Amino acid sequence: DSLVQRKVFKPVLVRVSGINSIDNAIAYDDSLALQHTTIINLPIDGQCVTSVAVDPRNANNVVITLGNYGNEAYVLYSNNALADEPTFTSMQGTLPKMPVYSSVIEMETGKVILGTEHGVYMADAIGNANWISAGHAMGDVPVMELKQQVMVNPENSTPCVENTGIIYAATYGRGLF
């Protein structure tokens, strides 16, 4: 009569700080990297972290998305991510309960955009959990990756960057939008 006990894993977020100040010595001494690393416990059990988005306008604003089926929350956010002990709160709100694969915090407006099991969803701001479906052209298809072109066009440069701010969505089965 044996019972198999399933261990539920507890995901964490690892924050590495001060990368710009680390010199080449870190390549030879891994212990230096540990001095700049913070382990952040997340308020979830048994879910995989699928993406981390940092607000390009304020690094304290961070969105984390989660995978797996049958859970209550698939989006977490923090507005104090640079604190010694940041807090993450559910931003699930009106988002249907489904895996979320990717996230972007739009660089100009601060809107949060998600790539989900059923297309793209968007909220007006971090912490605002009123989600609307936003990927009508691609339909109800898993969106596995979102990326925003953040490079700007330097003055008088050739070739020039003409797609600053454009968001690309990689889908599972319908291509790239």
Side-chain angles (χ1 to χ4, degrees):
D1 200 26
S2 65
L3 293 175
V4 176
Q5 189 174 26
R6 192 174 108 174
K7 186 173 181 173
V8 176
F9 66 94
K10 184 85 172 146
V12 296
L13 182 65
V14 179
R15 180 180 64 204
V16 180
S17 306
I19 291 175
N20 290 338
S21 65
I22 299 174
D23 61 19
N24 290 336
I26 200 164
Y28 304 104
D29 184 358
D30 288 344
S31 66
L32 293 174
L34 298 177
Q35 296 172 14
H36 299 277
T37 303
T38 305
I39 305 295
I40 301 166
N41 293 309
L42 298 174
I44 55 170
D45 289 317
Q47 283 179 273
C48 295
V49 173
T50 54
S51 77
V52 177
V54 179
D55 186 341
R57 301 168 308 139
N58 180 352
N60 268 307
N61 295 330
V62 173
V63 169
I64 294 176
T65 61
L66 306 165
N68 307 85
Y69 290 94
N71 295 289
E72 294 299 313
Y74 291 90
V75 184
L76 302 176
Y77 81 97
S78 176
N79 56 14
N80 69 342
L82 298 177
D84 288 340
E85 294 183 25
T87 55
F88 282 86
T89 307
S90 175
M91 197 173 146
Q92 186 68 29
T94 60
L95 184 69
K97 292 179 182 171
M98 63 185 157
V100 179
Y101 303 117
S102 190
S103 57
V104 166
I105 300 174
E106 205 281 325
M107 63 190 232
E108 294 293 325
T109 64
K111 291 181 180 183
V112 179
I113 303 163
L114 304 177
T116 75
E117 180 73 11
H118 295 286
V120 174
Y121 282 78
M122 183 174 59
D124 285 337
I126 193 163
N128 176 358
N130 184 26
W131 297 100
I132 58 167
S133 178
H136 304 294
M138 66 185 79
D140 184 3
V141 61
V143 175
M144 308 310 283
E145 188 72 35
L146 295 171
K147 291 288 182 190
Q148 183 170 30
Q149 171 59 277
V150 295
M151 182 180 285
V152 296
N153 189 28
E155 202 169 307
N156 300 319
S157 69
T158 305
C160 63
V161 177
E162 296 178 357
N163 58 346
T164 302
I166 298 294
I167 297 174
Y168 297 94
T171 69
Y172 187 78
R174 298 265 342 261
L176 186 66
F177 287 81

